[in-house]
């Protein structure tokens, strides 16, 4: 009954096997190995972007911060959702890596920015006036922090706003696999074909040990990115283990299979919770996250029985008062766990 | 015949087994897991420092830069060897993480700073004058970049100089295991007992996949370090895999066993090269690195036959002119490889 | 008819005389001169803070950014009004000088933060959780960007909120003289006695050529500030000219006299505008700034006749539609100018 | 008898008059005033660079650091003389403004870099290898910190080395007026015609109150410079007083006249010292600085009698041991002072 995060799940056995397989003899360090070359080629294939600059790092924060720093001058502001991971959960990594850029928060509904809200926020940022920071890139998260997903059309509406203001677009795709599984879209459809210039393509939350791809569709930025990565301490010496993870992830659609499993588990959980008499969903469940609230007493029961997740409020208080919670399913989530968990909630 | 770097070697099977073992079910992310707790406890035991702040990161550059940033104000200068990894091979990571500190280079002999050279360099740095950057920490590397090792006494002489000037001391111990194996000293003897305040304790070059411990003996700096690590994108979500590597590394003295193997392989290689009629060692071989020179023709033969290492000069030129090279042995180096390599050099 | 800004006014003749007077022979540079010593002593007297660290710089942005950087770690967030100069008009100087801190915006009414709004914003900032930036200083502006003024009691209510959360307090007093003239309070009452830890005490907007005092009531921070000032390029070599300005400013209450003149001019202008049939004030006029709106046609008349001020909206549009404007009076504002301006507005 | 620095001298009366003259009524702030426009036009004329980006700041450190930051990526290294002001006397300002670039020190003779020494240093900096910082701009100081001057030919030799490596060139011309007076060369000959891309053109050390021009010959960098200047707190609101200083400086060759006076005073002082039986010059006196050594007893006499300058060694020790000193003459230096000073040295 572990719903705390998709990053608390195990590594998929096929990934472990790939790590064992690549662990033969010596290999040149710092990315000059065959597994990394294979991973890069597979990402370019998957994204239908044969020229893209593709680099691997081990954390999503590194991918986001390095990409944003490559796209944003220190005197610019990054436009992002008011609940974006880059704004709320990275301890100021974008500010650190950019050399002191600002983040301008765009209001969201169920985690989604609307084109109007983005337009309003960008228009409110002075441009061409020296007293103010200048307009920098827009970063969009999909799957959002509320578990919702932008369709390619919705993405294009947002990137159109950005482009009209000359702003480049970054996609925080820590859960892009889950979005792809939910939408049945290709990565290209959800990125460069929809106006995205750079992507953090996540693997860690979806069955890898720790590997993310930073993809820039304009290869001219590759060298700058590499220097920033090294300088940030994010260039791995034993790089083959990053490469092997990512290559295996993209073999036989494992990335999509795992994301699909996680999504289905979340859908099942969401439906079961929605069916509870005292519970209600707070956001539509479109990928692998469930946001819901139910009475405090049921939280106490579930947590006491060992369920792992984060309630949004205190466990002290009236029994029947609703308390919200976030639950995330990873590729390994089991129906049995879900059923046991929902049974506890039902009481 | 792979001597390019110890980071081109494979991960030790016991480490792989530990990764497989820890890959069971779910675990809390960001270091709140049992494997990380085990690793931290083992490091504190090994260093005889029950209160030390211990954090894991995946690269040596991250460990060094985060520790130095924790110890050094932006307006200070870091004193280091003129060939130090932090100065030459980290693309300015210390400058980036500190917010623009300087590095002041101390001349070395066979990679070693002498107390006099350090004293001279520190004394030359103005202190208390606003026009100049101020004196910051001293960082010492052992095993040095020339493959030599500081004895505890030699370390104490250096840290004594630092302390006399009020400078804290960092030890870049990317190959500290090799130094310990060479000296037969305990980690405590080579660190806090010798006046060291913080250590980058390496694992990646010595059989791990990617795990280093950043150790600060003053636990008051722990929280600052954690915030810097997160902000730098170096806090792993699936942290158990770092923890498991480090815990296994410190089980049954695996760290020391692997370092000893590497050192013995290097000693054997060094001796064989020294015995060649046209070759000579450039630095004493005290750990797992060999620096030597021999005629260009022999380089051509060895490299053509598939030997992997970095010659320091061009392969174009007179056959019998000596050209230098660095060779590094990792835990997996085999006598057969060495013999084959030396036979090629002999011609 | 110049109301664009108080920084477009001339330097007071007494200040020019002081500059001429100090321009005799040689003087030691970088602040080791008699005029600077005199200025520092006068500021300590004025603020009743004999130990305070007092440093002069030439711009308000420098004073604010250097003080905030001295008070705020890179991984913290600064709490400020949503229209604060530091947030809107300094092109990210606080982010640059702090090394990438965030600014958290507090909603305001007529430019004033309420204790509740500040409490809500601070409480919403996670503390003690590594994923989020930590709580840093609160910065308060008085006179606010809307021309309103905090009473000492109002200030104390705000600083009480800050202190309850362990946040230090900075006061952006670019127009502190105007606030003092408006309230009849001593600088001490409006600063440390009200819980303020550091102050940017402005002179440039109030008749100086370019001189601001950065005051820190805890002298232990003096040396860090000096190094930051130098490193920021803000330590003047010919420092006596900063010292002479500030010393003359604080002689015979010139600072207060000039601020009083500016405030009276603004009050007169505000009253005259309020008396116009089609105009209305947008904020109470409490110091030397007037915010009002009146029909577009009157804007066109005034600007065509040479009035200098910034309308907040376009001059294209219906004649009778109200358009807002900001007007600022400096020490040299004349009744004649005001009368002529208001006559133009009346039509 | 004040030889401590040219920045301890007074402001020239013509500059004071210009400040008084510009102090009439109101003027638009932040550089949108007539005096600034006049100054910019005069600089473009003087440098025969009608398109150049010209901006004024108040300190030499600001001019240097802002220009270098505009020319240098954070992951690059700046090549400079081992005694350069940017390296020794700016408390790390270049590192701060660039976001953590390095400085690579080039050995000098009498303060001058030779083309060979520069070539050697640049060639030693790895390029195109991700582990190392990359080659950034070269900065040259003339008048050097030893009082020597590069001829246009010598400059061209250095900039030729820089250009061959793709490095842009900055000239720290804090005393460029003195160099021009010494060489009889035009500013264009000493800058862009000799391969210089950007210049810090000093005024403060040469009779201004505090005004320097930052000149970039490629106007495409203007906007970036402006944003950096604002963000650095270096955009003056009452900008007309910077403009008026610089405009008056460039009227009727005042800049050259003052520099000529200072140079002649230094030449006279140097000759008189060289004529002393126990003294000797340490560097050729080519502009307005004198470096010499003479017996300690004579230092004691001069300093006791009120001479102001910085001896390089302690006053405690044997009477007849030579102790070095730096003396700088400003535009206001008088023959009488020099004679009195030399008489004291003679004893």
């Amino acid at each position: 009954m572990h719903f705390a995060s998709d990053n608390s799940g195990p590594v998929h056995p096929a990934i472990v096997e790939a790590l064992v397989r690549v662990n033969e003899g010596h290999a040149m360090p710092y990315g000059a190995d065959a597994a990394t070359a294979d991973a890069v080629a597979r990402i370019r294939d998957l994204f239908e972007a044969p020229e893209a600059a593709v680099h691997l790092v081990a954390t999503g924060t590194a991918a986001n911060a390095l990409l944003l720093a490559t796209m944003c001058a220190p005197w610019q502001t990054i436009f992002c959702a008011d609940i974006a991971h880059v704004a709320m959960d990275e301890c100021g990594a974008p500010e650190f890596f950019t050399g002191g850029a600002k983040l301008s928060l765009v209001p969201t509904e169920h985690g989604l920015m609307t084109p109007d809200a983005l337009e309003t926020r960008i228009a409110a940022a002075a441009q061409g006036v020296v007293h103010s920071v200048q307009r920098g890139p827009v970063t969009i998260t999909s799957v959002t922090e509320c578990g919702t997903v932008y369709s390619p059309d919705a993405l294009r509406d947002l990137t159109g706003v950005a482009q009209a203001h000359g702003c480049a677009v970054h996609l925080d795709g820590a859960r892009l696999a889950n979005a792809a599984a939910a939408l049945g879209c290709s990565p290209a459809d959800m990125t460069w074909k929809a106006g995205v210039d750079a992507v953090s393509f996540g693997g860690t939350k979806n069955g890898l040990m720790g590997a993310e791809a930073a993809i820039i569709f304009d290869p001219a930025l590759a060298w700058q990115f590499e220097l920033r990565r090294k300088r940030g301490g994010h260039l791995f010496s034993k790089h083959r283990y990053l490469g092997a993870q990512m290559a295996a992830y993209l073999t036989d659609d494992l990335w999509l299979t795992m994301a699909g499993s996680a999504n289905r588990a979340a859908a099942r959980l969401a439906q079961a919770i929605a069916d509870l008499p005292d519970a209600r969903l707070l956001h539509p469940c479109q990928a692998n996250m469930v946001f819901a609230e139910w009475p405090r007493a049921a939280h106490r029961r579930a947590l006491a029985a060992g369920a792992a997740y984060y309630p949004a409020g205190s466990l002290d208080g009236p029994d029947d008062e609703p308390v919200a919670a976030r639950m995330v399913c990873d590729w390994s989530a089991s129906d049995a766990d879900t059923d046991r968990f929902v049974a506890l909630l039902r009481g």
Side-chain angles (χ1 to χ4, degrees), chain A:
Chain A
M1 295 188 300
H2 211 294
F3 305 105
S5 175
D6 31 9
N7 59 33
S8 55
V11 175
H12 192 279
I15 301 299
V16 174
E17 279 159 34
L19 287 170
V20 170
R21 218 160 37 233
V22 85
N23 192 38
E24 283 297 315
H26 291 76
M28 291 304 284
Y30 300 115
D33 64 280
T36 299
D38 184 21
V40 169
R42 285 175 185 274
I43 286 176
R44 286 179 175 152
D45 276 0
L46 180 68
F47 282 82
E48 304 164 40
E51 309 279 309
V54 176
H55 297 94
L56 303 182
V57 292
T59 72
T61 295
N64 286 341
L66 288 167
L67 286 173
L68 288 171
T70 302
M71 303 167 80
C72 184
W75 48 83
Q76 292 182 333
T77 190
I78 297 165
F79 300 95
C80 66
D82 53 6
I83 57 160
H85 197 269
V86 293
M88 304 300 286
D89 291 303
E90 302 187 354
C91 197
E95 289 88 344
F96 174 49
F97 279 86
T98 56
K102 271 188 196 293
L103 271 64
S104 292
L105 307 185
V106 179
T108 50
E109 297 167 20
H110 296 305
L112 298 160
M113 297 190 281
T114 63
D116 278 358
L118 179 59
E119 169 65 35
T120 300
R121 191 65 196 80
I122 297 180
Q127 178 75 349
V129 176
V130 81
H131 304 293
S132 168
V133 295
Q134 306 296 301
R135 294 171 187 160
V138 173
T139 176
I140 304 171
T141 314
S142 187
V143 179
T144 73
E145 289 77 8
C146 292
T148 49
V149 174
Y150 291 97
S151 70
D153 281 352
L155 262 183
R156 220 160 325 170
D157 289 346
L158 287 177
T159 64
V161 170
Q163 283 162 0
H165 289 287
C167 301
V169 179
H170 166 256
L171 182 70
D172 179 354
R175 294 187 180 98
L176 192 63
N178 302 93
L183 294 166
C185 289
S186 77
D189 283 341
M190 293 187 301
T191 58
W192 65 268
K193 289 185 180 171
V196 170
D197 298 290
V199 188
S200 304
F201 176 56
T204 312
K205 290 180 192 292
N206 190 31
L208 301 194
M209 188 176 285
E212 315 272 314
I215 306 167
I216 314 177
F217 295 111
D218 175 1
L221 295 172
W223 181 230
Q224 183 192 145
F225 185 91
E226 286 185 45
L227 290 161
R228 289 187 181 276
R229 178 176 60 164
K230 173 69 192 185
R231 181 175 178 77
H234 287 290
L235 175 58
F236 270 46
S237 56
K238 290 188 166 173
H239 204 280
R240 57 173 143 170
Y241 304 99
L242 289 183
Q245 288 182 66
M246 188 56 71
Y249 190 52
L250 301 188
T251 300
D252 297 336
D253 283 343
L254 177 61
W255 66 284
L256 205 52
T257 305
M258 290 197 286
S261 296
N263 287 3
R264 273 190 304 279
R268 196 163 184 282
L269 175 62
Q271 188 58 53
I273 290 176
D275 289 347
L276 292 176
D278 298 338
R280 70 183 186 94
L281 297 182
L282 298 174
H283 301 303
C285 172
Q286 298 178 345
N288 67 324
M289 288 195 278
V290 179
F291 291 81
E293 63 178 21
W294 57 77
R296 182 174 281 111
H299 280 287
R300 289 202 201 101
R301 270 198 311 274
L303 293 163
Y309 66 92
Y310 299 110
S314 167
L315 292 191
D316 292 332
D319 273 17
D320 52 1
E321 199 176 45
V323 171
R326 184 191 88 153
M327 284 139 297
V328 193
C329 296
D330 75 296
W331 68 271
S332 75
S334 74
D335 288 358
D337 266 10
T338 299
D339 293 348
R340 204 176 135 220
F341 179 59
V342 176
L344 282 163
L345 297 188
R346 185 174 286 115

